[in-house]
Amino acid sequence: MKKVCGMIMLVIFSLALLPSCSSGEVDEPCMYCSQRPSKAYQKSDGETVYVCSECSSTCMFCGEKATKQYETLLGVAFACDDCYNGLS
């Protein structure tokens, strides 16, 4: 019975997240390279910034695969684990 309840909760949770799983791409230029399409990111102050998939998947410091996202004064930035940990 616990497995059935767990499966039902998993399905309900998955369905609730379904709309956010879409690509979310918009025809706006990337704030870093002007490439289109990009994805909208909401900053804590409510401003929307746009970053393409290439810029959001590449560490802005060393060029490795980005695994962390954080907010800067200009927008959002992306970094690998090593560079992100070095910022702290």
Side-chain angles (χ1 to χ4, degrees), residues 12-42:
I12 291 171
F13 183 73
S14 297
L15 290 175
L17 292 178
L18 197 57
S20 65
C21 292
S22 64
S23 67
E25 291 185 342
V26 293
D27 190 34
E28 293 289 333
C30 172
M31 67 178 290
Y32 295 109
C33 70
S34 300
Q35 184 176 331
R36 294 174 193 243
S38 60
K39 181 178 177 186
Y41 291 89
Q42 192 81 27

Side-chain angles (χ1 to χ4, degrees), residues 54-60 63-69 77-81:
E54 185 174 337
C55 289
S56 65
S57 63
T58 305
C59 177
M60 298 178 160
E64 294 295 319
K65 182 179 180 190
T67 55
K68 304 286 186 193
Q69 169 190 335
F78 303 88
C80 66
D81 286 334

